[in-house]
């Protein structure tokens, strides 16, 4: 069992967390026409990196959404932080 | 008997060593049969030939295949057999079948919901039915049937819908009631007090299991015999892109060029796709399985419970082969974590309380390539000249003969076979998903 660090609750069991996708995957917005390719890229394409990953997670116990940087091969967590903290960019889909 | 006497045996051996020319003239045994087994028994098992060569990579091939799992090896075999293209290499970073092909729980079936899926998976099952003869290798196909349980009235209605769809799509299916289930699963907990009571289920009699290593090795041996080079311990690191086309690969053992390249690397598809300059609708997860100690025959069908999320069968050795859901965390760590293993085992004990005393012997995981609609991706990639066979996720062992046939067709002709067309990557932009996750509630 792995512990993930919720920025609000601290280290908790992996089974309390839900994967929310790549950080920085922004929904195409505005009034311009969005092509099929752009939609599909946003909806379906994934970074799915082997190694360093930058992701959005939800801690289902407190209901908060946050960012986590971890390695997908050995599962070490580099850091996790609340939206708007860290690199100053929240990485969330707006 | 000559060999019953030790001295005579040694004398015969030294004769062979002193006169090597005579030994070379002795025919090597290549064909596997009861007769060749008998003949080799008399010869002291000395005439068996290596199942495949280990050649040095050539600088150029007509077609390159990345990944020596079942799908890659089958692709090479069908290129040579069905399309007479034999200047082909399979490049494998580790050993043959060391990926998911050698880690899976070997269930073969075609009980899907959509017509496109039935066409694909039933082609595979039909090819499996004659594969042992076609490639002269015993793949130990055992069509012992699969029962997918229904745990409520509502699930029985969905089961009836699935059976109807399967029959209309042209494959075998039967709706089982609780009595039928008890007949095929005498040890199943059918108490009305069970956490997941049993109302019936979907039965597919042609489903079953096959030996996973034998499928990989059988295709490898048959492809090698037709002239395909199988190159192990050779990792693809980069793609050679010239004029906007894939012209081959750079590997840990140098550059290898080819007009067309097939990428068949399962859970590592996104990693290689990034090197080719595109992203895929794939997330990689660990999928675990485990086996119990071997016991006398107690389970002679495959059983899957959508309620507990566990499925099981019994191997010829007597081990219970047990699997369940994906791990929750996207991963390339080929291990698997404890929470899911606990769920899977508690599901098994809920279904079969008498298995409580069994010891678990081994647990392992493979990295599977999961798509949003739980259907595979077959077709040319965004980089022209590079073709994809991936996205089989938790269920591509059953599809190996079809995946190989269809990618061989794509690589040989540059165009889709009718059965692979709906599975092109373009379905995501066109919105024509083949959603088996919703359709048949697929687990595996
Ligand atoms: C625990 C478990 C249980 C399963 N149970 C079932 C089941 O019961 N029924 C079923 O139908 N399916 C099942 N599956 C799924 C099935 O195993 C896979 O879908 C199928 O084996 C995929 O075959 P493949 O040839 O595409 O991939 P693999 O067998 O994984 O082969 C891909 C190969 O590519 C190689 N490779 C990767 N990167 C490179 C590179 N850069 N250069 C060179 N080579 C590379 C890898 O080493 C690997 O050998 C299960 C999977 C797992 C993990
Ligand atoms: Zn929290």
């Amino acid at each position: 069992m792995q512990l993930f660090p919720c920025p609000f609750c601290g280290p908790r069991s992996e089974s309390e967390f839900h994967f929310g996708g790549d950080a920085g995957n922004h929904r195409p917005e505005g009034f311009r026409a969005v092509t099929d390719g752009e939609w599909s890229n946003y909806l379906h394409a994934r970074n799915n990196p082997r190694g360093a990953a930058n992701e959005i997670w939800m801690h289902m116990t407190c209901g908060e959404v946050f960012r986590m940087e971890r390695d997908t091969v050995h599962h070490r967590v580099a850091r996790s932080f609340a939206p708007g903290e860290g690199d100053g960019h929240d990485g969330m889909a707006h | 008997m000559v060999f019953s006497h030790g001295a005579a045996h040694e004398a015969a051996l030294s004769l062979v060593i002193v006169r090597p020319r005579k030994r070379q003239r002795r025919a090597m045994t290549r064909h596997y049969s009861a007769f060749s087994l008998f003949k080799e028994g008399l010869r002291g098992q000395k005439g068996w030939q290596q199942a495949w060569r280990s050649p040095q990579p050539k600088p150029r091939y007509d077609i390159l295949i990345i990944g020596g799992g079942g799908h890659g090896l089958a692709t090479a075999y069908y290129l040579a057999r069905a399309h007479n293209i034999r200047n082909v290499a399979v490049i494998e970073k580790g050993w043959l079948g060391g990926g998911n092909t050698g880690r899976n729980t070997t269930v073969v079936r075609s009980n899907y919901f959509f017509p496109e899926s039935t066409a694909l998976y039933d082609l595979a099952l039909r090819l499996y039915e004659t594969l042992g003869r076609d490639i002269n290798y015993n793949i130990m196909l055992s069509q012992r049937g699969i029962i997918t349980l229904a745990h409520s009235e509502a699930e029985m209605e969905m089961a009836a819908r699935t059976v109807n769809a399967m029959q209309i799509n042209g494959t075998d299916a039967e709706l089982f009631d609780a009595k039928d289930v008890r007949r095929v699963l005498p040890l199943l907990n059918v108490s009305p007090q069970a956490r997941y009571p049993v109302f019936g289920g979907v039965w597919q009699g042609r489903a079953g299991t096959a030996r996973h290593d034998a499928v990989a090795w059988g295709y490898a041996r048959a492809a090698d015999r037709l002239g395909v080079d199988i190159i192990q311990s050779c990792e693809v690191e980069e793609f050679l892109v010239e004029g906007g086309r894939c012209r081959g690969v750079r590997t840990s053992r140098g550059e290898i060029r080819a007009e067309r390249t097939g990428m068949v690397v399962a859970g590592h598809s996104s990693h290689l796709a990034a090197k080719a300059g595109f992203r895929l609708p794939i997330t990689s997860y660990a999928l675990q399985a485990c086996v119990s100690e071997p016991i006398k025959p107690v389970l002679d069908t495959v059983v899957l419970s959508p309620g507990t999320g566990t499925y099981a069968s019994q191997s010829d050795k007597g081990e219970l082969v047990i699997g369940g859901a994906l791990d929750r965390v996207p991963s390339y760590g080929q291990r698997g974590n404890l929470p899911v293993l606990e769920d899977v085992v508690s599901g098994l004990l809920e279904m079969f309380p008498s298995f409580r005393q069994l010891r678990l012997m081994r647990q392992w995981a493979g990295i599977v390539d999961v798509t949003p609609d739980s259907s595979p991706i077959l077709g040319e990639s965004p980089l022209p000249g590079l073709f994809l066979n991936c996205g089989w996720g938790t269920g591509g062992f059953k599809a190996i003969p079809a995946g190989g046939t269809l990618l061989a067709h794509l690589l040989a002709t540059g165009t889709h076979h009718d059965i692979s067309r709906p599975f092109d990557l373009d379905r995501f932009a066109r919105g024509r998903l083949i959603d088996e996750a919703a359709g048949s509630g697929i687990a595996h």
Side-chain angles (χ1 to χ4, degrees):
Chain A
M1 159 118 42
Q2 178 167 21
L3 298 180
F4 283 145
C6 170
F8 309 97
C9 313
R12 307 284 294 206
S13 156
E14 66 178 275
S15 46
E16 294 182 6
F17 292 85
H18 179 73
F19 176 57
D22 295 314
N25 184 28
H26 297 300
R27 186 175 189 274
E29 288 218 90
F31 294 103
R32 69 197 172 82
V34 176
T35 65
D36 297 350
E38 272 177 276
W39 262 120
S40 177
N41 192 42
Y42 162 71
L43 280 179
H44 302 301
R46 301 285 177 261
N47 294 339
N48 194 29
R50 183 168 93 192
N54 189 350
E55 300 167 334
I56 293 172
W57 284 80
M58 177 187 257
H59 185 209
M60 293 181 296
T61 316
C62 70
E64 293 288 349
V65 168
F66 66 97
R67 260 175 75 183
M68 183 151 73
E69 292 171 10
R70 64 179 187 108
D71 189 290
T72 60
V73 179
H74 48 62
H75 289 197
R76 191 173 302 129
V77 175
R79 57 182 189 147
S80 69
F81 48 93
E85 288 174 10
D87 54 12
H89 172 48
D90 66 11
M92 301 290 177
H94 293 274
Chain B
M1 283 282 292
V2 179
F3 291 144
S4 64
H5 193 270
H9 189 175
E10 271 169 35
L13 258 180
S14 59
L15 258 185
V16 168
I17 292 161
V18 179
R19 291 163 56 191
R21 276 173 62 226
K22 177 152 189 196
R23 189 187 181 196
Q24 273 169 10
R25 249 181 278 132
R26 249 182 150 187
M28 297 299 265
T29 301
R30 314 186 99 199
H31 190 75
Y32 296 164
S33 66
F35 176 69
S36 57
L37 199 62
F38 176 69
K39 195 180 65 181
E40 281 303 326
L42 294 180
R43 287 163 127 200
Q45 317 285 356
K46 295 214 175 62
W48 295 114
Q49 202 195 22
Q50 241 184 320
W52 54 82
R53 302 159 293 133
S54 294
Q56 286 301 315
K58 291 192 281 186
R60 177 180 294 278
Y61 292 90
D62 292 339
I63 293 177
L64 263 184
I65 294 156
I66 311 171
H71 281 274
L73 293 165
T75 303
Y77 169 73
Y78 292 112
L79 274 171
R81 167 99 299 155
H83 302 277
N84 205 26
I85 301 177
R86 296 169 181 218
N87 185 23
V88 172
V90 177
I91 313 228
E92 166 56 49
K93 73 171 176 178
W95 65 94
L96 298 188
N100 296 337
T101 299
R103 295 166 185 272
N104 82 91
T105 47
T106 76
V107 180
V108 298
R109 55 180 181 83
S110 64
N111 51 356
Y112 287 77
F113 183 74
F114 292 104
E116 295 89 342
S117 309
T118 306
L120 175 69
Y121 291 104
D122 212 58
L123 169 67
L125 191 50
R126 287 197 309 275
L127 288 168
Y128 263 139
E129 284 170 341
T130 60
L131 186 61
R133 250 172 295 139
D134 296 344
I135 62 176
N136 178 230
Y137 205 99
N138 186 359
I139 60 157
M140 297 166 78
L141 177 69
S142 162
Q143 291 178 289
R144 59 183 72 176
I146 185 170
I147 176 76
T148 306
L149 298 172
H151 299 294
S152 65
E153 290 289 351
E155 281 185 28
M156 269 311 272
E157 282 172 22
M158 290 306 281
R161 170 177 176 267
T162 302
V163 167
N164 290 341
M166 285 171 61
Q167 289 175 350
I168 289 167
N169 294 337
T171 190
D172 68 303
E174 233 180 287
L175 187 64
F176 268 19
D177 62 19
K179 209 160 81 278
D180 298 324
V181 172
R182 274 204 301 279
R183 180 169 48 78
V184 296
L185 294 173
L187 292 184
L188 185 71
N189 176 11
V190 289
S191 148
Q193 269 74 51
R195 169 69 183 85
Y196 294 101
V198 174
F199 283 67
V202 179
W203 171 256
Q204 188 180 39
R206 281 166 64 239
T209 57
R211 172 89 193 142
H212 49 12
D213 293 328
V215 170
W217 298 339
Y219 272 123
R221 173 170 165 275
D224 174 272
R225 289 269 284 271
L226 294 170
V228 170
D229 279 359
I230 295 169
I231 298 157
Q232 301 181 69
S233 303
C234 181
E235 178 159 8
V236 169
E237 291 163 347
E238 301 286 342
F239 292 91
L240 305 175
V241 181
E242 287 161 14
R245 264 189 84 83
C246 178
R247 300 284 181 189
V249 296
R250 218 194 55 231
T251 76
S252 51
R253 291 165 66 178
E255 272 187 18
I256 309 177
R257 298 191 155 257
E259 270 322 291
R260 289 190 176 130
T261 301
M263 185 171 108
V264 199
V265 297
H268 299 275
S269 297
S270 303
H271 178 71
L272 275 187
K275 297 190 180 256
F278 57 91
R279 299 198 304 161
L280 288 168
I282 284 180
T283 306
S284 296
Y285 288 96
L287 179 66
Q288 309 188 51
C290 55
V291 294
S292 74
E293 61 187 314
I295 48 170
K296 289 271 168 58
V298 292
L299 178 62
D300 66 355
T301 184
V302 183
V303 55
L304 185 153
S305 158
T308 66
T310 301
Y311 67 97
S313 66
Q314 189 170 17
S315 75
D316 294 340
K317 266 194 285 183
E319 303 158 325
L320 293 168
V321 181
I322 306 151
L326 290 167
D327 276 20
R328 299 176 53 79
V329 179
S331 174
Y332 287 82
Q334 211 165 237
R335 289 182 301 273
N337 277 4
L338 209 49
V340 168
L341 184 65
E342 285 173 348
D343 285 353
V344 167
V345 171
S346 68
L348 183 79
L349 300 188
E350 171 67 34
M351 283 165 26
F352 298 98
S354 57
F355 293 170
R356 190 169 290 138
Q357 303 275 315
L358 292 180
R359 270 170 296 215
L360 273 192
M361 299 293 281
R362 296 188 301 282
Q363 169 274 351
W364 66 90
I367 299 304
V368 297
D369 39 346
V370 179
T371 60
D373 58 357
S374 291
S375 285
I377 298 169
L378 290 159
E380 195 162 13
S381 81
L383 176 63
L386 179 66
F387 292 75
L388 305 171
N389 168 337
C390 60
W392 297 100
T394 59
F397 174 71
K398 67 174 77 73
I400 284 172
T405 297
L406 298 170
L407 182 61
H409 182 97
L410 275 156
L411 287 165
T413 65
T415 57
H416 268 292
H417 189 288
D418 282 348
I419 296 181
S420 64
R421 171 102 270 288
F423 295 94
D424 194 276
L425 188 57
D426 72 359
R427 75 175 182 271
F428 295 98
R430 292 166 63 231
R432 296 195 59 102
L433 273 58
I434 303 166
D435 195 351
E436 285 295 344
S440 61
I442 91 162
H444 301 281

